[in-house]
Amino acid sequence: MSEDLNSYMLKTAKGDKESFRFIANSLGYKMHATVIRILGSSHSEDADDIVQNSLIKLWQTAPRWVNKGSVESYIYKIVFSTCIDFIRKYKSFEEFKDNYSNLVITDDKCSKSELRKILLKEIQKLPKDQQEAILLHYFSGYKQKEVSNILKKSEKATESLIIRARKKLKTILPKDFFEDFLHV
C-alpha cells in the first residue's frame, strides 16, 4: 500500500483532488485513531477537527513533499504536529494546564492527561527517526514490520529505534503509565 500511496501523493502534489481523496479515505480512520490515542478519549469530539486540519495541511504541503520517505510517515508527522498545536492552543484548559515546574512525576500526583502531555513533549525531543517509529507503532497501531516498510528500514533497525526511544521515555514516565500507554 505504501508504494500505492506514494503514487497518489505524487498526483496530489500536482493538484489531483481524486488522489487526495483516496489518501484521505485510506488513512482517515487511522489518523482519527491516532488523534484519540495522542489526546485521549476525552477529546473524541475534537478529533474530527484535528483530522480535518491535518488533511488541510497535507493538501497545502503536498507540492513540497519529497518522494524519499513514506506518505504514511509524512501524514502522521502532520497529525502529531496538529495535535501539539491543539494542546498549545488550549493549554489554558485545566486538562492541558502547563504547570510542571515543581512537578514530581508519580501516579498519585499526575493525571493521565498530564502524563500524556509530558509524554508528547518528550517524544518531540527524540531524534526524528525514533519519533516516527514510536508514533507509527504505538500511536497509529502499525506492527513493527509495517513500520519497517513505511520507514524503509530493516526490521532490526526499526526494532532498535523503538527500543532506544522507549528507553529514553521510560526514564521520565511512571512505570504503570509507561506500561499502560506504550503496552510494555
Side-chain angles (χ1 to χ4, degrees):
M1 180 162 140
S2 185
E3 289 179 23
D4 195 28
L5 285 176
N6 284 9
S7 65
Y8 280 99
M9 187 63 176
L10 289 170
K11 292 176 188 173
T12 299
K14 294 177 183 174
D16 183 353
K17 293 177 184 175
E18 289 304 313
S19 294
F20 176 72
R21 277 191 200 97
F22 178 83
I23 292 171
N25 289 333
S26 297
L27 297 177
Y29 175 76
K30 283 196 170 204
M31 291 169 69
H32 192 274
T34 299
V35 172
I36 297 296
R37 186 85 172 123
I38 291 172
L39 297 180
S41 59
S42 63
H43 288 283
S44 59
E45 293 176 6
D46 300 311
D48 290 336
D49 291 338
I50 292 170
V51 169
Q52 185 68 33
N53 288 338
S54 298
L55 289 170
I56 291 168
K57 288 179 184 180
L58 175 64
W59 177 256
Q60 292 171 338
T61 62
R64 295 188 304 268
W65 179 74
V66 180
N67 192 7
K68 290 184 180 176
S70 78
V71 174
E72 292 161 278
S73 177
Y74 180 71
I75 289 171
Y76 289 113
K77 283 188 253 180
I78 291 172
V79 170
F80 183 75
S81 71
T82 306
C83 286
I84 296 302
D85 291 344
F86 174 82
I87 290 170
R88 286 183 184 132
K89 183 177 179 181
Y90 296 102
K91 68 182 179 182
S92 62
F93 286 174
E94 182 67 26
E95 180 175 3
F96 293 122
K97 194 181 334 183
D98 194 7
N99 187 15
Y100 301 113
S101 55
N102 297 321
L103 186 62
V104 175
I105 302 174
T106 61
D107 284 311
D108 57 331
K109 292 194 178 189
C110 284
S111 70
K112 292 271 188 195
S113 61
E114 289 170 328
L115 289 169
R116 182 176 280 109
K117 184 173 181 187
I118 292 169
L119 174 64
L120 294 174
K121 281 183 177 183
E122 293 303 315
I123 288 174
Q124 285 183 298
K125 294 176 186 176
L126 293 172
K128 180 183 167 194
D129 54 352
Q130 289 179 19
Q131 278 184 34
E132 291 174 349
I134 285 286
L135 291 172
L136 289 168
H137 185 60
Y138 289 107
F139 290 87
S140 300
Y142 286 101
K143 294 182 174 139
Q144 195 166 305
K145 185 175 183 172
E146 294 170 314
V147 174
S148 298
N149 291 335
I150 291 169
L151 297 179
K152 297 182 179 175
K153 295 186 181 288
S154 71
E155 287 185 51
K156 201 70 171 158
T158 302
E159 179 182 19
S160 178
L161 289 173
I162 291 170
I163 288 170
R164 286 191 311 243
R166 282 188 2 205
K167 279 183 182 178
K168 287 179 186 175
L169 295 172
K170 193 174 186 176
T171 62
I172 56 104
L173 295 171
K175 184 180 179 187
D176 291 346
F177 180 76
F178 182 81
E179 290 173 354
D180 181 44
F181 200 79
L182 297 180
H183 313 292
V184 178

